[in-house]
Amino acid sequence: MSKQKSFVTTTLEPRWTAQIYQAVTGEDFLGLRAVQESITSYLLPGITTITPRARYYPFYSWLLVEYGKKHPEGWPLGRFIHRREQIFALANLAWQETASDAVSIGLTGSDDLGEHWKQHREVVDIPLSVDNYVTARQGGYEAYAGVMQGLAITRYAENDDGLDVLPKGQALALAFTKSIQDTRYYRNRVKYDTARVIPKDVLLEYGERCHLSYLARSSDHQPTLETLFAFDAPHVLPHFEHTVPTLGNMRGTLGMILDMFDQTDVPLTDLRFRECITYGLCNDFASYQPAPLLRPFVAHWRMFQLREYYVYALYALWSYFLSWLRGQGQQTLDDFCVHLNHELDLAAIATELGISLKGRSLDTWSLDSWLTALLDVAHIPDGNFSRRCADFALQSQIPLQEHGLYLHIGAARRSDLAAYVGITWILLSVLYLRLEGIKPQSEEAWSPWYWARFGGMRRRSLAHFTRDMTYQIENNASLLDALRWLIRDYVIAQHTITALEKWRQRNAKTFHFNYENGIFEWIADDKTGFSATRFRQAYDMLFDLGLYEIPSESGGVPRLTTSGQQTLRCVLESLNDSD
Amino acid sequence: MTPIDAPEPINLLEALSEYQDFHTAIFLTYCADLAFFEAAVLHRLWQNGCRNIAVFMDAQRYADTLNDMRDSIKWVGRRYVVCPVRLENQRAFHPKLALLIGPERGRLMIGSGNLTFTGWGHNHEVYSCLDWTSVEPDLQSLFAQAWAFIQQIDKRWGHSPQIKTMLQKAIRIAPWLNHQTSSPDDIQLLHTLEGPIVQQLSQLLAKEVVHKLVVVTPFLDNDAAAIETLYRQFSPQQLHLILQPGKAVGNPEALLKLREQIPLQIYSYTEPERYLHAKIVTFETETASYILSGSPNCTRAALLLPPEHGNIEVALLRLGETSRQFDYVLKDRITLSPLQDLNALTLQAGRLTSDQAISSAIQVLDATVTNEMLNVRYRVVHLPEDITTLQTRITSTPPIYNPLKESAEGEQSAQFRLTQAHAVLQARPLSVSIGGQGPNQTWIDLGCNELWVTNADELHAQMMNTAVVSIGSGNCLAEGVVASDQEWGELYKTLAELIELDLAGLKTKGGTYTTTVEMPPLPPQPEEGETVIHMIGAEELARERAYTEAIDIERALFDESRFNAWLEYVSGRLSGVNSELIEPGENDNEDARDASKQKGRPEPLRVRHRPNPRLERRFVNLVRKYIGSLHNVAYMQSVSILHILTYFTVFQRIIWLLFEHEIIDQDEFARLILEMNAGFFGAWNESAPLCTPRLYRHIRRVWQTEWQKYEVGQYALASMELALHWIEQSEVTGGAKLQAAWQMVRLLTGIALVMNVKLLAEDTEAWAQVAKVYHQDEEEFRTQIRERITHSWSDALSLLQRWNLLVNVDTLAATDPNSAEYLRREQLDYHLAEYHIRKQLGETDTLLELCSASLSKAQQFGDLEIAIALEEDYIDLAEAAGQFKEVAQTLYKQGERLCRDKQFIEAYDKLQRALAISQSIEDSTLIASCRRVLRRIEFFLS
């Protein structure tokens, strides 16, 4: 090699390598929560976490019909919505200042428009200048558009990209018109579409009629109730894979919530709702025993919540693993297992939870004997394993109960080995026993167990989890083997697959650890938690519809109104008539 | 002097998918994140049609893929193969190299990043990306070196037959990889199989006076021996060491001590976010500079130790034109002044994972699924005394255990039929390990390694699943209808594109199809090209005989070609399509065309369209060029046989398509068909195919299956029959008619060399297809051809006898023993052809002799299939001739062979017959032999 010779390479090399990702944000880093989202979409197709107020259904229906009839020339739908929704929000804000029974929770644009209102509340003419109160192109309607299609209020037009307002939507629009038709705003609405200001008293008058909290007393109440409960939908709980609309499930789920209101003697929170759907079918769960016709709905919701506990547990293991990695520096999976084996005393944890187990180290404690011990402490009579699991699944009042374990974990710190691995492992074990107990003996074409299979291997379905646990038992695995398998396949591999998926889709680096040469290195923490049930939104909507009340002396315990009792009866009757 | 601005960073994934011309991708890496590999690398390669993919990685890190990440991996063994490289003595297989190989292009990437997300996209790594193209082959020697390096690795540490096949396929498709040329002046590939890197550097820079030496490394050995040796070897005035604070691994005390002895200055790498994993050494002289970049860290194992004790590393050494040429690499990345306080660096102690026990009692070498059988090769080193039985464990869920018969020390193999595991294998990768079998068939861990199973069945199926470039053009050819200029254009484009893409060495000039072939350089040869080419061919074929996998490689390569995918589509679409055709009204008056139409065809849907004159010319030229290529010796010797066979049938159909669309008339059709058949089978007056350099490769019985599959014989006979029919009716001279008739005889004789013509004539399914393509009444057409064959048999026999003589002469004249043996061996085809023709002619008196001679030749050359077929004939013929002893002996041999193959019932029948005949002729020796084998069979049957 000599410098006198000729050069064949012309490029400047070597070169530094480029970073192959950009964004570093994201959520659901184990990619497990999409399954729950599908179940809630199936069981509550007309409500999402961003559609909290029932009155928007008639309001947006009215806007769509109005736009179809007449709108300022050249205005796209979005601009039209932005203008009318701005006035609607201002009217709501104006009115609620004068009325104690009106609340603006869930009012689209309430942040910016609230500020705007505060600034101009003293003037006679309120400027209509806050068209950017929300970034969505079609204003608040964008959040409701999907569920309005789900509720058969609108649908995409067949020949172009426009929308058809279906008879239900037209009825809602008409009813909303009736509610506001004798206001000055209604009469001059076309003028206000392009006006720079609107008089405050016009807003006040309009607000009294259109307020989100006044649905129950307005003309649009009944059509909204019928739309949300979908009394006319022919099918309830149709097969998920069939193309039949799932609209009929609205009345089952909303009816189930009304049924809970009817029985509860404590405030019905999201956590209480989760407990009720998990144990509603247990013989010993006194807080809620669903009406027979609602039991199929509870069975579907139970699968949702069991998956929630399962995902919560996996996220807890994940959070702990990251937390441990952060504290320990570069480590191998074997190191982690050694740590668990040395540090985790399951018997001690069980004692703290109020049960007595004969302790052994994780590597000498067989999974088989561990699960048997759990069944024993739950006082499940002796018998074969399947029978015992079936008995276990019918009980809620057991020392080691999913919901109680969840609360224990939730109260602990992420670096708490006992809670985040020990109790989590107990939670997963209990889940396994319950799932084994409710698993149908033969493959049914369509049953709530479908949700256990939903998500397949990629989303670590419950069925895969139970199958793999069973194989671990058959393979004489120790608790350490089982934990290693869970951490390796259901946490580390799952995160790797998910992070690579997000990287491919969005060029985002969401890895929470580096892995090279068999060594893990911490990058970021993560936390566990539940995904949304949509219960809170349903709860608010049922209130908007006036189906229950919370008497001031009840301590927050809801009571069905007459309308609520009547609606519940209608639900049960219609379920009785359904196919 | 101002440093040159740094070039844009290289995006390795983009570099990987920049070109689409790669067939094979080979990666060498220390560790690999296979989930990343599948999501990022494999995905891109597949999108670009690159399906022949192998990864070599360190065995210890390979174990990580099974122990830590197994569930995130989906395609290992199913779309690519990973080979663990197991080095002894704590050595690491540490190179980072990617070699992309195509017929016309190669890309070589050598750098510091492992095949992981961090190595390819997060860390600070350096890479060089080098290209070879047939137009710019300057870096030929580097590619040849890299290829040789990979082959050495596979030879010494590879146990996967699948990877060997992949490498063979790669060299077949890109023979340029093997061409040795002199190294370029400014770049050298160094690897540790050639000796310690530092020793190679010393030799290469022997004449240089190094002023300054800069080392960038993430790892130093514990006593800083490598950095010290670099100093001692090159004695620079300045020695700079660049380390990343908080990340670099090294021993501060050793560095402090060294700094007291030599002018070592340590700088801090200033980019904190991304891990500095690059390994660079630059050498600055008075007037030039050098940079070494690649896998070696500045450690003893990477730079100093000989191959048997050190790591396996690979790097590039580049020469810069000026002394500051490579300053751009570290520009703005290091502190301005050296660090005085080494504590500021917070060097890390090495964190290595525990070594896997290399010397375990047993080692799995390979696990491959072929034809639903799992083949496991393993090496038993030394079993504990209490272990008597071994078992494999397939780690599906649940695991599947199979006992192993062999547990003796040494290399063993076992086969299992996959049942339940096979279904699992379709969905997920599986791994295999071996352990002892304890009481109740429990598993005893013997520290055996675990291997991913290579599913050769699926790999092969995936190879076949190659994207078809133009379904539309396939449809046109399948239907025999081209309905617009656009369709004609598409068909032309597809033919030109597919043919050019699939042929290694076939050059494109000005975007048009050409038969000019760039051949690999041949050894020096005398002027008389033909004889020499013949001899080369014979040598090649002798090798082919010895290594039958060469033919398998050729088949595998063809299977995965886009042309084959297109052809499958054309063939698959044939049935039922032709019944939907329309005839343009203006054709109705032409008798010849009417005669060729199928009677009673239903009303068609699409109308044939005659293309514009330009397209017409292009198509006719394409056909002429193709025919020209059939007469081009170099082309016919370089193109794969499967391409020769398939192009032949495709162009038969193209010529018919031109005729049906009135682009050529029947005279032109006949002329083209005659020329094409003369090219493919040889002209009527040419020598025997075996003595003709452009014919000897494809007119051989060894390709019988492919001839049948692609219906070569049927298309040849059908088109010749149509051509002859029109020639006989035309006004051409008697001589021309005679020549055409002789061409038909030559064609028939050529087919007889490859297959039994009687069986060919009876293949009703194939004939139905061919008749549909040519729009002939199937029965009528077959009868017509059968009669033609019958009339030509005696002439074919004469021709064959002449060929036999010519081959004999050539055999006797052959000076090279390889060639002589090859000719003798291949003559079996000629004997067999003669035997079949005589059988057709009913010449029973000579049949026995011919059959006997062919049989002994087949046995002599180990051609069992032919021998078995001939034995049946021989028994009948000998029995008819009253040669009972020969009959009994043959039956006995058959029975004994069947018994060996455990086909006891068939064996029993044969031996009973042999016994009966032996008893009738009172041959006591044969009687005893028959009884002995029969007793054995009876034992098994009982």
Side-chain angles (χ1 to χ4, degrees), chain A residues 1-3 5-9 11-21 330-333 335 457 460 468 471 475 484 488-489 492-493 496-497 500 503-504 509 511 514-520, chain B residues 4 7-10 13 30-31 35-36 39-40 43 61 64 67-71 114 116 118 121-123 125-129 184-186 188 274 287 317-319 321 328-329 333 351 353 397-398:
Chain A
M1 211 163 177
S2 153
K3 58 186 181 295
K5 292 181 183 171
S6 62
F7 287 79
V8 298
T9 52
T11 50
L12 265 184
E13 297 222 326
R15 283 188 277 165
W16 290 97
T17 52
Q19 192 171 285
I20 58 168
Y21 56 88
Q330 298 181 337
Q331 296 292 323
T332 64
L333 180 57
D335 293 336
M457 199 58 206
R460 308 287 163 181
D468 289 351
Y471 289 147
N475 213 27
R484 185 191 167 97
R488 186 190 69 189
D489 291 1
I492 292 172
T496 305
I497 294 166
L500 284 168
W503 169 70
R504 272 178 67 175
K509 180 171 179 269
F511 282 102
N514 281 330
Y515 175 74
E516 196 150 324
N517 304 343
I519 295 169
F520 294 90
Chain B
I4 302 163
E8 282 293 303
I10 181 172
L13 293 173
Y30 172 59
C31 61
F36 162 75
H43 175 70
R61 302 283 73 88
D64 295 337
N67 294 333
D68 297 351
M69 285 290 168
R70 78 163 46 236
D71 224 43
N114 287 307
T116 60
T118 47
H122 174 70
N123 295 343
E125 310 274 4
V126 288
Y127 255 87
S128 291
C129 182
D185 297 333
D186 59 336
Q188 290 277 343
R274 293 164 65 192
T287 54
L317 180 67
R318 280 173 175 267
L319 163 64
E321 287 178 273
Y328 74 86
V329 176
R333 288 174 183 261
R351 172 71 169 92
T353 51
T397 316

Side-chain angles (χ1 to χ4, degrees), chain B residues 53-73:
Chain B
I53 303 162
V55 177
F56 291 85
M57 67 186 291
D58 187 84
Q60 205 174 316
R61 302 283 73 88
Y62 178 94
D64 295 337
T65 69
L66 289 142
N67 294 333
D68 297 351
M69 285 290 168
R70 78 163 46 236
D71 224 43
S72 59
I73 300 163

Side-chain angles (χ1 to χ4, degrees), chain A residues 270-455:
Chain A
D270 185 67
L271 282 183
R272 186 63 174 168
F273 171 76
R274 290 175 189 270
E275 224 182 330
C276 289
I277 55 179
T278 309
Y279 305 116
L281 298 180
C282 292
N283 297 333
D284 59 347
F285 190 65
S287 304
Y288 178 54
Q289 285 291 310
L293 287 166
L294 291 169
R295 289 176 69 87
F297 286 91
V298 179
H300 279 267
W301 276 104
R302 176 172 64 176
M303 294 312 299
F304 164 84
Q305 188 52 35
L306 291 179
R307 177 147 179 116
E308 281 280 270
Y309 291 128
Y310 162 72
V311 170
Y312 186 91
L314 291 178
Y315 265 93
L317 288 177
W318 161 239
S319 303
Y320 180 78
F321 177 69
L322 292 174
S323 169
W324 174 80
L325 213 52
R326 180 183 205 170
Q328 298 296 314
Q330 298 181 337
Q331 296 292 323
T332 64
L333 180 57
D334 287 338
D335 293 336
F336 184 64
C337 293
V338 168
H339 160 68
L340 294 185
N341 202 32
H342 287 171
E343 309 291 332
L344 190 63
D345 186 346
L346 279 178
I349 294 164
T351 307
E352 279 185 29
L353 294 172
I355 57 164
S356 170
L357 289 173
K358 198 176 170 188
R360 268 172 281 178
S361 63
L362 296 182
D363 59 342
T364 57
W365 202 337
S366 80
L367 181 58
D368 187 14
S369 63
W370 160 258
L371 293 169
T372 307
L374 290 185
L375 289 168
D376 290 344
V377 298
H379 307 297
I380 305 298
D382 279 345
N384 73 40
F385 185 68
S386 303
R387 183 65 251 159
R388 295 189 86 192
C389 288
D391 290 344
F392 181 89
L394 288 173
Q395 295 193 27
S396 68
Q397 300 305 311
I398 45 178
L400 302 173
Q401 181 229 44
E402 293 91 334
H403 198 74
L405 293 167
Y406 151 75
L407 293 174
H408 273 289
I409 300 166
R413 283 180 297 113
R414 274 204 289 274
S415 57
D416 184 340
L417 172 69
Y420 267 72
V421 181
I423 301 179
T424 293
W425 168 246
I426 298 171
L427 171 58
L428 285 165
S429 306
V430 170
L431 272 170
Y432 169 70
L433 296 174
R434 190 174 298 279
L435 287 164
E436 278 294 297
I438 62 176
K439 185 168 73 179
Q441 293 305 304
S442 56
E443 283 287 301
E444 294 174 29
W446 171 238
S447 74
W449 187 254
Y450 174 87
W451 302 114
R453 293 197 303 269
F454 197 73

Side-chain angles (χ1 to χ4, degrees), chain B residues 331-392:
Chain B
K331 188 184 168 194
D332 301 330
R333 288 174 183 261
I334 57 171
T335 47
L336 293 174
S337 52
L339 296 175
Q340 297 308 315
D341 179 11
L342 274 191
N343 289 330
L345 276 172
T346 55
L347 293 180
Q348 303 293 301
R351 172 71 169 92
L352 293 173
T353 51
S354 59
D355 281 348
Q356 195 190 12
I358 298 288
S359 54
S360 54
I362 190 161
Q363 191 187 340
V364 191
L365 302 174
D366 179 59
T368 302
V369 172
T370 318
N371 299 326
E372 299 191 13
M373 297 287 287
L374 173 64
N375 304 280
V376 180
R377 279 198 304 120
Y378 56 100
R379 183 183 294 137
V380 181
V381 182
H382 179 68
L383 289 184
E385 279 178 11
D386 54 336
I387 302 294
T388 51
T389 312
L390 296 173
Q391 57 181 337
T392 61

